Amino acid sequence: DAKTTQPNSMESNEEEPVHLPCNHSTISGTDYIHWYRQLPSQGPEYVIHGLTSNVNNRMASLAIAEDRKSSTLILHRATLRDAAVYYCILLSTGNQFYFGTGTSLTVIP
Amino acid sequence: EPEVTQTPSHQVTQMGQEVILRCVPISNHLYFYWYRQILGQKVEFLVSFYNNEISEKSEIFDDQFSVERPDGSNFTLKIRSTKLEDSAMYFCASSGGGSSYNEQFFGPGTRLTVL
């Protein structure tokens, strides 16, 4: 399974942008970069995914480094509801998701 | 908005008993998955299922586990003889056709407690 490295925890003030980093230096050319989050006592929830280009959706933006060895999930205005564990996952051929320990995001009112 | 549902929400069983966890994936999805999360630990992949057969499974998914899609809507995980260490949240997920890289939609989970 391809490895990702994320900080264990981060804090953000409410209504401010949050940049959640992920390193994946061993990424291969066909690996997609997926981000999921898990709110307390819930199942994981899809946030965004991309391959090479930056991606935007209604929840977040994904900035992918040119060499693809790192990516950043950007929440444009953090809300209390965004407090969760955020997982950066590489999806290779086949469809196994390997969840790491993720980044626990605390949003401060 | 369509969603994945799971029943029961909480299952308590005695060690050695068989349990069946049930999931109803999103109706037009083609790929189905089971994951588990032991309390306080990370989410672990168990198995993926496509075209009525297992496409991948992890080393956790041993002979005690089996999956089935008995009809057009349900997707089940059976644990034949439960052990204490099987106590965990079990999540079902499904994803749409066209690509296995599509987003996976997760259900709310079944909490399995083995006594």
Side-chain angles (χ1 to χ4, degrees):
Chain A
D1 53 323
K3 292 262 192 238
T4 62
T5 306
Q6 299 176 254
N8 287 334
S9 62
M10 289 184 67
E11 284 186 354
S12 172
N13 292 319
E14 197 178 6
E15 298 193 4
E16 296 205 349
V18 184
H19 290 233
L20 298 165
C22 181
N23 287 320
H24 28 80
S25 57
T26 59
I27 192 171
S28 72
T30 55
D31 288 343
Y32 280 76
I33 302 161
H34 282 246
W35 282 82
Y36 279 71
R37 70 181 186 182
Q38 188 173 22
L39 278 66
S41 302
Q42 295 190 29
E45 175 187 31
Y46 170 82
V47 178
I48 200 165
H49 79 283
L51 183 61
T52 56
S53 304
N54 295 343
V55 184
N56 299 296
N57 67 19
R58 62 178 176 83
M59 289 181 73
S61 296
L62 176 59
I64 301 173
E66 200 168 325
D67 63 5
R68 299 208 328 126
K69 294 184 187 298
S70 65
S71 60
T72 303
L73 178 70
I74 303 163
L75 306 179
H76 296 288
R77 282 178 76 242
T79 68
L80 296 178
R81 198 198 168 275
D82 291 322
V85 179
Y86 286 79
Y87 299 99
C88 168
I89 302 165
L90 298 186
L91 187 58
S92 306
T93 54
N95 44 26
Q96 288 198 40
F97 270 179
Y98 289 97
F99 286 79
T101 51
T103 296
S104 179
L105 176 66
T106 300
V107 179
I108 302 166
Chain B
E1 188 172 326
E3 59 182 16
V4 176
T5 59
Q6 291 185 243
T7 54
S9 56
H10 190 189
Q11 173 91 48
V12 181
T13 189
Q14 295 291 324
M15 190 170 57
Q17 295 295 304
E18 174 184 286
V19 293
I20 297 176
L21 309 183
R22 301 180 193 281
C23 168
V24 179
I26 294 173
S27 62
N28 61 346
H29 282 184
L30 300 178
Y31 298 87
F32 313 110
Y33 315 85
W34 283 101
Y35 295 82
R36 79 171 185 192
Q37 186 173 32
I38 296 169
L39 186 64
Q41 297 187 25
K42 61 184 180 182
V43 177
E44 299 174 292
F45 170 81
L46 292 178
V47 65
S48 60
F49 192 86
Y50 171 70
N51 201 24
N52 282 322
E53 60 183 26
I54 291 173
S55 49
E56 289 191 74
K57 60 182 181 179
S58 71
E59 58 190 25
I60 301 169
F61 193 88
D62 61 20
D63 292 343
Q64 296 280 62
F65 292 90
S66 62
V67 289
E68 197 178 30
R69 190 155 161 79
D71 52 42
S73 59
N74 289 286
F75 179 51
T76 61
L77 174 69
K78 183 193 291 186
I79 308 175
R80 195 188 348 252
S81 177
T82 49
K83 309 189 208 48
L84 295 177
E85 54 264 37
D86 293 327
S87 295
M89 281 291 285
Y90 287 81
F91 295 107
C92 171
S94 68
S95 63
S99 169
S100 63
Y101 296 103
N102 287 348
E103 63 182 280
Q104 295 186 16
F105 292 80
F106 285 76
T110 292
R111 178 170 299 284
L112 176 65
T113 301
V114 182
L115 301 176

Coordinates of all heavy atoms in Angstrom, one line a residue, chain A residues 1 3 30-32 34 36 38 41-47 49 58 87 91-102, chain B residues 1 31 33 35 37 41-45 48-50 55-58 89 91 99-109:
Chain A
D1 N 0.8 -1.2 0.0 CA 0.0 0.0 0.0 C 0.9 1.2 0.0 O 1.8 1.3 0.7 CB -1.0 0.0 1.2 CG -0.3 -0.2 2.5 OD1 0.7 -1.0 2.6 OD2 -0.7 0.4 3.5
K3 N 2.2 4.8 0.8 CA 2.1 5.5 2.1 C 1.8 7.0 1.9 O 2.3 7.6 1.0 CB 3.5 5.4 2.7 CG 3.8 3.9 3.2 CD 3.5 3.7 4.6 CE 4.0 2.4 5.1 NZ 3.0 1.6 5.6
T30 N 0.0 6.3 -11.6 CA -1.5 6.0 -11.8 C -2.3 6.1 -10.5 O -3.4 5.9 -10.4 CB -1.7 4.5 -12.3 OG1 -1.0 3.6 -11.4 CG2 -1.1 4.4 -13.7
D31 N -1.6 6.6 -9.4 CA -2.3 6.7 -8.1 C -3.1 8.0 -8.1 O -2.6 9.1 -8.4 CB -1.3 6.8 -7.0 CG -0.6 5.5 -6.7 OD1 -1.1 4.5 -7.1 OD2 0.5 5.5 -6.0
Y32 N -4.4 7.8 -7.7 CA -5.2 9.0 -7.5 C -5.1 9.4 -6.0 O -4.9 8.6 -5.1 CB -6.7 8.6 -7.7 CG -7.1 8.7 -9.2 CD1 -6.7 7.7 -10.1 CD2 -7.8 9.7 -9.7 CE1 -7.1 7.7 -11.4 CE2 -8.2 9.8 -11.0 CZ -7.8 8.8 -11.9 OH -8.2 8.8 -13.2
H34 N -7.0 10.8 -2.9 CA -8.3 11.0 -2.4 C -8.2 11.6 -1.0 O -7.3 11.2 -0.2 CB -9.0 9.6 -2.3 CG -9.6 9.1 -3.6 ND1 -10.9 9.0 -3.8 CD2 -8.9 8.7 -4.7 CE1 -11.1 8.5 -5.0 NE2 -9.9 8.3 -5.6
Y36 N -10.8 12.0 2.4 CA -12.0 11.7 3.1 C -11.9 12.3 4.5 O -10.8 12.6 5.0 CB -12.2 10.1 3.2 CG -12.7 9.5 2.0 CD1 -11.9 9.4 0.8 CD2 -14.0 9.0 1.9 CE1 -12.4 8.8 -0.3 CE2 -14.6 8.5 0.8 CZ -13.7 8.4 -0.3 OH -14.3 7.8 -1.5
Q38 N -13.8 12.0 8.6 CA -14.6 11.2 9.5 C -15.0 12.1 10.6 O -14.2 12.4 11.5 CB -14.0 9.9 9.9 CG -14.9 9.0 10.7 CD -14.2 7.6 11.0 OE1 -13.0 7.5 11.0 NE2 -15.1 6.6 11.3
S41 N -18.2 9.7 15.5 CA -19.2 8.7 15.5 C -19.9 8.5 14.1 O -21.1 8.1 14.1 CB -20.3 9.0 16.6 OG -19.7 9.1 17.8
Q42 N -19.3 8.8 13.1 CA -19.8 8.6 11.7 C -18.9 7.8 10.8 O -17.7 7.7 11.2 CB -20.2 10.0 11.1 CG -21.3 10.7 11.8 CD -21.7 11.9 11.0 OE1 -21.7 12.0 9.8 NE2 -22.2 13.0 11.7
G43 N -19.4 7.4 9.7 CA -18.6 6.7 8.7 C -17.8 7.8 7.9 O -18.1 9.0 7.9
P44 N -16.7 7.4 7.3 CA -16.0 8.3 6.4 C -16.8 8.9 5.4 O -17.8 8.3 4.9 CB -14.9 7.4 5.8 CG -14.7 6.3 6.8 CD -16.1 6.0 7.3
E45 N -16.5 10.1 5.0 CA -17.2 10.9 4.0 C -16.2 11.4 3.0 O -15.2 12.0 3.3 CB -17.9 12.0 4.7 CG -18.6 13.0 3.9 CD -19.1 14.2 4.6 OE1 -18.5 14.6 5.6 OE2 -20.2 14.8 4.2
Y46 N -16.6 11.2 1.7 CA -15.8 11.7 0.6 C -15.7 13.2 0.6 O -16.6 13.9 0.9 CB -16.4 11.3 -0.7 CG -15.8 11.9 -1.9 CD1 -14.6 11.4 -2.5 CD2 -16.4 13.0 -2.6 CE1 -14.0 12.0 -3.6 CE2 -15.8 13.6 -3.7 CZ -14.7 13.0 -4.2 OH -14.1 13.6 -5.4
V47 N -14.5 13.8 0.4 CA -14.3 15.2 0.3 C -13.9 15.6 -1.1 O -14.6 16.4 -1.8 CB -13.2 15.7 1.3 CG1 -13.0 17.2 1.1 CG2 -13.5 15.3 2.7
H49 N -11.1 14.4 -4.8 CA -10.0 13.6 -5.3 C -9.4 14.2 -6.5 O -10.1 14.9 -7.2 CB -10.3 12.1 -5.4 CG -11.1 11.8 -6.7 ND1 -12.5 12.0 -6.8 CD2 -10.7 11.2 -7.8 CE1 -12.9 11.6 -8.0 NE2 -11.9 11.1 -8.6
R58 N -17.6 21.8 -4.1 CA -18.3 22.7 -3.1 C -17.8 22.6 -1.7 O -18.0 23.4 -0.9 CB -19.8 22.4 -3.1 CG -20.2 21.0 -2.7 CD -21.7 20.7 -2.7 NE -21.9 19.3 -2.4 CZ -22.0 18.8 -1.2 NH1 -21.8 19.6 -0.2 NH2 -22.2 17.5 -1.0
Y87 N -8.4 12.3 6.1 CA -7.5 11.2 5.6 C -7.1 11.5 4.2 O -8.0 11.8 3.4 CB -8.2 9.9 5.7 CG -8.7 9.4 7.0 CD1 -10.0 9.5 7.4 CD2 -7.8 8.8 7.9 CE1 -10.4 9.1 8.7 CE2 -8.2 8.3 9.1 CZ -9.5 8.4 9.5 OH -9.9 8.0 10.7
L91 N -5.1 5.9 -4.1 CA -5.8 4.8 -4.6 C -5.1 4.3 -5.9 O -5.0 5.0 -6.9 CB -7.2 5.2 -5.0 CG -8.1 4.1 -5.4 CD1 -8.3 3.0 -4.4 CD2 -9.5 4.6 -5.8
S92 N -4.6 3.1 -5.7 CA -3.8 2.5 -6.8 C -4.7 1.7 -7.7 O -5.9 1.7 -7.6 CB -2.7 1.6 -6.3 OG -1.9 2.4 -5.4
T93 N -4.2 0.9 -8.6 CA -5.0 0.0 -9.4 C -5.7 -0.9 -8.4 O -5.2 -1.2 -7.4 CB -4.1 -0.8 -10.3 OG1 -3.1 -1.5 -9.6 CG2 -3.5 0.0 -11.4
G94 N -6.9 -1.3 -8.8 CA -7.7 -2.0 -7.8 C -8.4 -0.9 -7.0 O -8.4 0.2 -7.3
N95 N -9.1 -1.3 -6.0 CA -9.9 -0.3 -5.3 C -9.8 -0.4 -3.8 O -10.8 -0.2 -3.1 CB -11.3 -0.4 -5.8 CG -11.8 -1.8 -5.9 OD1 -11.3 -2.7 -5.2 ND2 -12.7 -2.1 -6.7
Q96 N -8.6 -0.8 -3.3 CA -8.5 -0.8 -1.8 C -8.1 0.6 -1.3 O -7.2 1.2 -1.8 CB -7.4 -1.8 -1.4 CG -7.7 -3.2 -1.6 CD -6.8 -4.1 -0.8 OE1 -6.4 -3.8 0.3 NE2 -6.4 -5.2 -1.4
F97 N -8.8 1.0 -0.3 CA -8.5 2.2 0.4 C -7.7 1.9 1.6 O -8.2 1.1 2.4 CB -9.7 3.0 0.8 CG -10.2 4.0 -0.2 CD1 -11.4 4.7 0.1 CD2 -9.6 4.2 -1.4 CE1 -11.9 5.6 -0.8 CE2 -10.1 5.1 -2.3 CZ -11.2 5.8 -2.0
Y98 N -6.5 2.4 1.8 CA -5.8 2.3 3.0 C -5.8 3.6 3.8 O -5.2 4.5 3.4 CB -4.3 1.8 2.7 CG -4.2 0.4 2.2 CD1 -4.1 0.2 0.8 CD2 -4.2 -0.6 3.1 CE1 -4.1 -1.1 0.4 CE2 -4.1 -1.9 2.6 CZ -4.1 -2.2 1.2 OH -4.0 -3.4 0.8
F99 N -6.5 3.5 4.9 CA -6.6 4.7 5.7 C -5.4 4.8 6.7 O -5.2 3.8 7.3 CB -7.9 4.7 6.5 CG -9.2 5.0 5.8 CD1 -9.8 4.0 5.0 CD2 -9.8 6.2 5.8 CE1 -10.9 4.2 4.3 CE2 -11.0 6.5 5.1 CZ -11.5 5.5 4.3
G100 N -4.8 5.9 6.7 CA -3.8 6.1 7.8 C -4.4 6.6 9.0 O -5.6 6.4 9.3
T101 N -3.6 7.3 9.8 CA -4.2 7.8 11.1 C -4.8 9.2 10.9 O -5.5 9.7 11.7 CB -3.1 7.9 12.2 OG1 -2.0 8.6 11.6 CG2 -2.7 6.5 12.6
G102 N -4.5 9.8 9.7 CA -5.2 11.1 9.4 C -4.7 12.2 10.3 O -3.9 12.1 11.2
Chain B
E1 N -31.1 12.8 -1.2 CA -29.9 12.3 -1.7 C -29.7 10.8 -1.3 O -30.0 10.4 -0.2 CB -28.7 13.1 -1.1 CG -27.4 12.8 -1.7 CD -26.3 13.7 -1.2 OE1 -26.6 14.9 -0.9 OE2 -25.2 13.2 -1.1
Y31 N -19.8 -1.3 -7.2 CA -18.7 -1.8 -6.4 C -19.1 -1.7 -4.9 O -19.7 -0.6 -4.5 CB -17.4 -0.9 -6.6 CG -16.9 -0.9 -8.0 CD1 -17.4 0.0 -9.0 CD2 -15.9 -1.8 -8.4 CE1 -16.9 -0.1 -10.3 CE2 -15.4 -1.8 -9.6 CZ -15.9 -0.9 -10.6 OH -15.4 -1.0 -11.9
Y33 N -18.0 -2.6 -0.7 CA -16.9 -2.7 0.2 C -17.3 -2.9 1.7 O -18.4 -2.4 2.1 CB -16.0 -1.5 0.2 CG -15.7 -0.9 -1.2 CD1 -16.6 -0.1 -1.8 CD2 -14.6 -1.3 -1.9 CE1 -16.4 0.5 -3.1 CE2 -14.3 -0.7 -3.2 CZ -15.3 0.1 -3.7 OH -15.0 0.6 -5.0
Y35 N -15.4 -2.3 5.5 CA -14.3 -1.9 6.3 C -14.7 -2.1 7.8 O -15.8 -2.2 8.1 CB -14.1 -0.4 6.1 CG -13.7 0.0 4.7 CD1 -14.6 0.2 3.7 CD2 -12.3 0.3 4.5 CE1 -14.2 0.6 2.5 CE2 -11.9 0.7 3.2 CZ -12.9 0.9 2.2 OH -12.5 1.3 1.0
Q37 N -13.5 -0.7 11.9 CA -12.7 0.3 12.7 C -12.8 -0.1 14.2 O -13.9 0.0 14.8 CB -13.2 1.7 12.5 CG -12.3 2.7 13.2 CD -12.8 4.2 12.8 OE1 -13.9 4.4 12.6 NE2 -11.8 5.1 12.8
Q41 N -9.0 3.2 16.7 CA -7.9 2.8 15.7 C -8.4 3.3 14.3 O -9.4 3.9 14.2 CB -7.7 1.3 15.8 CG -7.1 0.9 17.1 CD -6.7 -0.6 17.1 OE1 -6.3 -1.1 16.0 NE2 -6.6 -1.2 18.3
K42 N -7.5 3.0 13.4 CA -7.8 3.5 12.0 C -8.8 2.6 11.3 O -9.1 1.5 11.7 CB -6.5 3.6 11.2 CG -5.8 2.3 11.0 CD -4.5 2.6 10.3 CE -3.7 1.3 10.1 NZ -2.4 1.5 9.4
V43 N -9.4 3.1 10.2 CA -10.3 2.4 9.4 C -9.5 1.4 8.6 O -8.5 1.7 7.9 CB -11.1 3.3 8.5 CG1 -12.0 2.5 7.6 CG2 -11.9 4.3 9.3
E44 N -9.9 0.1 8.6 CA -9.2 -1.0 7.9 C -10.1 -1.6 6.8 O -11.2 -2.0 7.0 CB -8.8 -2.1 8.9 CG -7.9 -1.6 10.0 CD -7.7 -2.7 11.0 OE1 -8.6 -3.1 11.7 OE2 -6.5 -3.2 11.1
F45 N -9.5 -1.7 5.6 CA -10.2 -2.4 4.5 C -10.3 -3.9 4.8 O -9.4 -4.5 5.2 CB -9.4 -2.1 3.2 CG -9.8 -2.9 2.0 CD1 -10.9 -2.5 1.3 CD2 -9.1 -4.1 1.7 CE1 -11.3 -3.3 0.2 CE2 -9.5 -4.8 0.6 CZ -10.6 -4.4 -0.2
S48 N -13.5 -6.0 -1.1 CA -14.3 -5.3 -2.1 C -14.9 -6.4 -3.0 O -14.5 -7.5 -3.2 CB -13.4 -4.4 -3.0 OG -12.4 -5.1 -3.6
F49 N -16.1 -6.0 -3.6 CA -16.9 -6.9 -4.3 C -17.4 -6.3 -5.6 O -17.9 -5.1 -5.5 CB -18.1 -7.3 -3.4 CG -19.0 -8.4 -3.7 CD1 -18.6 -9.7 -3.4 CD2 -20.2 -8.2 -4.4 CE1 -19.4 -10.8 -3.7 CE2 -21.0 -9.3 -4.7 CZ -20.6 -10.6 -4.4
Y50 N -17.3 -7.0 -6.7 CA -17.7 -6.4 -8.0 C -18.2 -7.6 -8.9 O -17.5 -8.6 -8.9 CB -16.6 -5.6 -8.6 CG -16.9 -5.2 -10.0 CD1 -17.8 -4.2 -10.3 CD2 -16.2 -5.8 -11.1 CE1 -18.1 -3.8 -11.6 CE2 -16.4 -5.4 -12.4 CZ -17.4 -4.4 -12.7 OH -17.6 -4.0 -13.9
S55 N -13.3 -8.9 -5.4 CA -12.3 -8.5 -6.3 C -11.0 -8.3 -5.5 O -9.9 -8.6 -6.0 CB -12.7 -7.2 -7.0 OG -13.2 -6.2 -6.1
E56 N -11.0 -7.9 -4.3 CA -9.8 -7.8 -3.4 C -10.2 -8.1 -2.0 O -11.3 -7.8 -1.6 CB -9.2 -6.4 -3.5 CG -8.5 -6.2 -4.8 CD -7.7 -4.9 -4.8 OE1 -6.6 -4.9 -4.2 OE2 -8.1 -3.9 -5.4
K57 N -9.3 -8.6 -1.2 CA -9.5 -8.8 0.2 C -8.2 -8.6 1.0 O -7.1 -8.8 0.4 CB -10.1 -10.1 0.5 CG -9.2 -11.3 0.1 CD -10.0 -12.6 0.5 CE -9.1 -13.8 0.1 NZ -9.8 -15.1 0.4
S58 N -8.3 -8.1 2.2 CA -7.1 -7.9 3.0 C -6.8 -9.2 3.8 O -7.6 -10.1 3.8 CB -7.3 -6.7 3.9 OG -8.2 -7.1 5.0
M89 N -16.5 -1.2 14.8 CA -17.5 -0.7 13.9 C -17.3 -1.3 12.5 O -16.1 -1.3 12.1 CB -17.4 0.8 13.8 CG -18.0 1.6 15.0 SD -19.8 1.5 15.0 CE -20.2 2.6 13.7
F91 N -18.2 -0.8 8.6 CA -18.7 0.1 7.6 C -18.8 -0.5 6.3 O -17.9 -1.2 5.8 CB -17.8 1.4 7.5 CG -17.7 2.2 8.7 CD1 -16.6 2.2 9.4 CD2 -18.8 3.0 9.1 CE1 -16.5 3.0 10.6 CE2 -18.7 3.8 10.2 CZ -17.5 3.8 11.0
S99 N -15.7 3.5 -13.1 CA -14.3 3.5 -12.6 C -14.3 3.1 -11.2 O -15.1 3.6 -10.4 CB -13.7 4.9 -12.8 OG -12.5 5.0 -12.1
S100 N -13.3 2.3 -10.8 CA -13.2 1.9 -9.4 C -12.5 3.1 -8.7 O -12.3 3.0 -7.5 CB -12.4 0.6 -9.3 OG -11.1 0.8 -9.8
Y101 N -12.1 4.1 -9.4 CA -11.5 5.3 -8.7 C -12.6 6.3 -8.2 O -12.3 7.3 -7.6 CB -10.6 6.0 -9.6 CG -9.4 5.2 -10.0 CD1 -9.3 4.6 -11.3 CD2 -8.3 5.0 -9.2 CE1 -8.3 3.9 -11.7 CE2 -7.2 4.3 -9.6 CZ -7.2 3.7 -10.8 OH -6.1 3.0 -11.2
N102 N -13.9 5.9 -8.5 CA -14.9 6.9 -8.0 C -15.0 6.9 -6.5 O -14.6 6.0 -5.8 CB -16.3 6.4 -8.6 CG -16.4 6.6 -10.1 OD1 -15.6 7.3 -10.7 ND2 -17.4 6.0 -10.7
E103 N -15.6 8.0 -6.1 CA -15.7 8.2 -4.6 C -16.6 7.1 -4.0 O -17.5 6.5 -4.7 CB -16.4 9.5 -4.3 CG -17.8 9.7 -4.9 CD -18.4 11.0 -4.6 OE1 -18.9 11.2 -3.4 OE2 -18.4 11.8 -5.5
Q104 N -16.2 6.7 -2.8 CA -17.0 5.7 -2.1 C -17.9 6.4 -1.1 O -17.5 7.3 -0.4 CB -16.0 4.7 -1.3 CG -15.1 3.9 -2.3 CD -14.3 2.9 -1.6 OE1 -14.5 2.6 -0.4 NE2 -13.3 2.4 -2.3
F105 N -19.1 5.9 -1.1 CA -20.1 6.4 -0.2 C -20.2 5.4 1.0 O -20.5 4.2 0.8 CB -21.5 6.5 -0.9 CG -21.5 7.6 -1.9 CD1 -21.0 7.4 -3.2 CD2 -22.1 8.8 -1.6 CE1 -21.0 8.4 -4.1 CE2 -22.1 9.8 -2.6 CZ -21.5 9.6 -3.8
F106 N -20.0 5.9 2.2 CA -20.0 5.0 3.4 C -21.4 5.0 4.1 O -22.0 6.1 4.2 CB -18.9 5.4 4.3 CG -17.6 5.0 3.9 CD1 -16.9 5.7 2.9 CD2 -16.9 3.9 4.5 CE1 -15.6 5.3 2.5 CE2 -15.6 3.6 4.1 CZ -15.0 4.3 3.1
G107 N -21.7 3.9 4.7 CA -22.9 3.9 5.5 C -22.5 4.3 6.9 O -21.4 4.6 7.2
P108 N -23.5 4.4 7.8 CA -23.3 4.9 9.2 C -22.6 3.9 10.1 O -22.2 4.2 11.2 CB -24.7 5.2 9.7 CG -25.6 4.2 8.9 CD -24.9 4.1 7.6
G109 N -22.5 2.6 9.6 CA -21.8 1.6 10.4 C -22.7 0.8 11.3 O -23.8 1.2 11.7

